[in-house]
Amino acid sequence: MLSDVTQTTESAARDDDRRAPVPAAPGARSRRRVHRAWIVAVVTFVTIIGGAAFNSLPGLLIDPLHTEFGWSRGEIGLAVSLDMALYGLTAPFAAALMDRFGIRRVVVVALSAVAAGALASVWMTASWQLMIYWGLLVGLGTGSMAMAFSATVTNRWFVARRGLVTGVLTAAGASGQLVFLPLCAWIVDEHGWRPASVTVALAALAVVPFAWLLLHDHPADVGLAPYGGTYTGKPAPARGAARRTLRVLADAARTGPFWLLAGTFAICGASTNGLIRTHFVPSAHDHGMPITAAASLLAVIGVFDIIGTVFSGWLTDRFDARRLLAVYYALRGISLVFLPMLMAPTVHPPMVFFIVFYGLDWVATVPPTLALCREQYGEDSAIVFGWVLASHQVGAALVAFLGGVARDAFGSYDVVWYASGALCATAALMALVIRRVREPSGAAAAGLG
């Protein structure tokens, strides 16, 4: 009799579970082999890699475009800066559009725009076309899959392990660099820049089916709770995406932490995408290093970037994000000041040390910056982070353009390296004065789960 009662109770419990799914506490064993949130995270990772393939190109193509068309490095840098600026300015609107139309639709359109811009550039003959294809189309496409995309996925699908997942998804861009930089450098060296552009267009198109079929918008779509959280219904689509994005900006702009986060992240962009990603290869080539060797060094940065970013996400779940940012920016500034002394025709141990050191720090700033946005701005944090990311890309855009101008004017990049080192020191001080908001104990416990 007792056995029958037990079986009946267990059957009723299983029926209740199907009606209102609530996951086990983080770390507890579950009958599900893998929570769907991890599948969504993997698909997001692959999608970002496909969309980020284009980011491998600009630094490789500055010299070939200059040679073939006679365009100045400043002109080419202006197109790259437009791409980076639009990448940042699109991000907050993309986050709101994902709330309105869903993640899948926005991402598929974005991948198509990247592919169209990269493919159309094969037939360009004037620098204004470079602005349209690289600057406008690719900028809008990559901006729609920027870090705000990662923030939206993380906020919806995860309660526990958010810092770790943020680090992993941020590392996807570096993984794309690791895959495509050596490949594109070899293609440019052996076959010219046009086949390399076609390659990244095909890479963007290749991940479209995965995004459409597997990238679910919300846990409630598949009857689940977010990982480490409790089940909630899917919210109604948020109408007025542009209005909401601007309203969130207006509200955030009234607070001091927003400007400190935006300022530090602008310097982050200036000292990474704008500086190293755009100008490291041509700078190394100025010192006699082959393009393929310089591109391989950038790819190695990508290897250690993955390690550093994932580890930074783990640290962000456990330590004060402000102090982490201060340490990251200080170390980055020191490394950039020494870089001009390390440039040489061949790869030597001090340069390898710089590559490893800098790679660990490349986007380690993202998990603590996103954590501070989440702490300060709650449900609007993905959009706020989109605006902070916009400042990141504006900083990157300025240095991408001014770095080319400096090279044309002074014949070297040395002044750019030194100036960027000083900016990083400023960012370290700014990070330390960000006001801390203490989370409720339950939320903090969930974040550490």
Side-chain angles (χ1 to χ4, degrees):
M1 183 68 179
L2 180 60
S3 175
D4 292 341
V5 171
T6 302
Q7 290 177 0
T8 302
T9 303
E10 289 177 350
S11 176
R14 285 195 295 272
D15 290 340
D16 289 342
D17 286 344
R18 281 193 288 270
R19 286 194 296 270
V22 178
R29 293 187 178 273
S30 171
R31 292 182 182 178
R32 288 191 181 90
R33 288 175 297 175
V34 178
H35 192 285
R36 186 68 66 88
W38 295 109
I39 298 174
V40 171
V42 170
V43 175
T44 302
F45 187 92
V46 174
T47 301
I48 294 172
I49 288 177
F54 182 85
N55 292 333
S56 303
L57 275 186
L60 300 176
L61 301 192
I62 288 178
D63 285 339
L65 292 177
H66 173 71
T67 301
E68 179 171 339
F69 296 108
W71 301 335
S72 71
R73 291 174 176 83
E75 283 182 288
I76 300 169
L78 184 60
V80 176
S81 71
L82 178 60
D83 163 48
M84 291 181 175
L86 283 177
Y87 176 101
L89 294 173
T90 302
F93 293 96
L97 287 171
M98 288 175 188
D99 287 342
R100 174 66 180 87
F101 297 106
I103 295 174
R104 285 190 295 185
R105 291 184 181 133
V106 174
V107 168
V108 167
V109 171
L111 288 167
S112 301
V114 172
L119 193 59
S121 66
V122 171
W123 294 282
M124 66 185 175
T125 56
S127 59
W128 66 265
Q129 294 170 324
L130 184 67
M131 299 286 183
I132 298 296
Y133 303 147
W134 281 21
L136 184 62
L137 284 175
V138 175
L140 291 173
T142 54
S144 297
M145 294 181 297
M147 296 172 194
F149 168 39
S150 302
T152 300
V153 171
T154 304
N155 288 350
R156 290 186 185 182
W157 281 90
F158 291 88
V159 174
R161 311 298 185 194
R162 277 179 171 170
L164 177 63
V165 174
T166 299
V168 172
L169 294 183
T170 302
S175 300
Q177 176 177 298
L178 172 63
V179 171
F180 288 101
L181 254 175
L183 174 63
C184 289
W186 176 82
I187 293 173
V188 170
D189 196 45
E190 295 291 329
H191 304 287
W193 65 271
R194 286 179 176 84
S197 192
V198 172
T199 299
V200 300
L202 295 177
L205 290 176
V207 295
V208 167
F210 295 97
W212 183 254
L213 295 173
L214 299 174
L215 195 57
H216 296 286
D217 290 327
H218 194 277
D221 288 342
V222 289
L224 292 175
Y227 180 78
T230 56
Y231 180 84
T232 56
K234 183 177 180 178
R239 299 185 180 276
R243 184 168 59 253
R244 181 189 175 204
T245 301
L246 294 173
R247 176 185 57 77
V248 170
L249 172 63
D251 293 342
R254 297 189 183 100
T255 66
F258 173 79
W259 293 106
L260 290 169
L261 288 168
T264 55
F265 224 41
I267 293 172
C268 178
S271 56
T272 53
N273 291 356
L275 183 64
I276 295 293
R277 178 171 286 164
T278 306
H279 296 295
F280 177 81
V281 172
S283 178
H285 191 53
D286 284 346
H287 289 79
M289 185 179 292
I291 289 178
T292 50
S296 297
L297 289 175
L298 268 186
V300 173
I301 284 180
V303 175
F304 289 95
D305 179 17
I306 296 170
I307 298 170
T309 306
V310 173
F311 184 54
S312 176
W314 183 86
L315 291 174
T316 301
D317 283 334
R318 290 159 174 79
F319 298 102
D320 187 340
R322 301 169 304 164
R323 290 186 171 86
L324 291 176
L325 284 179
V327 171
Y328 296 158
Y329 285 121
L331 293 176
R332 183 183 300 175
I334 292 170
S335 67
L336 288 173
V337 168
F338 282 98
L339 181 57
M341 293 177 274
L342 304 180
M343 291 292 186
T346 59
V347 178
H348 51 91
M351 175 59 83
V352 173
F353 178 79
F354 167 83
I355 293 298
V356 172
F357 187 87
Y358 189 88
L360 291 171
D361 191 62
W362 178 279
V363 286
T365 55
V366 173
T369 300
L370 180 53
L372 289 170
C373 285
R374 189 180 296 120
E375 177 184 292
Q376 297 279 343
Y377 303 106
E379 292 182 355
D380 291 329
S381 61
I383 297 177
V384 173
F385 182 71
W387 284 112
V388 172
L389 177 61
S391 72
H392 179 282
Q393 293 306 113
V394 169
L398 286 172
V399 172
F401 171 61
L402 294 176
V405 171
R407 171 61 179 80
D408 290 334
F410 301 111
S412 79
Y413 287 99
D414 288 0
V415 66
V416 185
W417 305 125
Y418 296 136
S420 296
L423 284 174
C424 288
T426 303
L429 296 175
M430 293 169 66
L432 289 174
V433 299
I434 296 174
R435 171 174 58 86
R436 188 74 192 267
V437 175
R438 197 172 288 276
E439 295 183 8
S441 58
L448 289 169

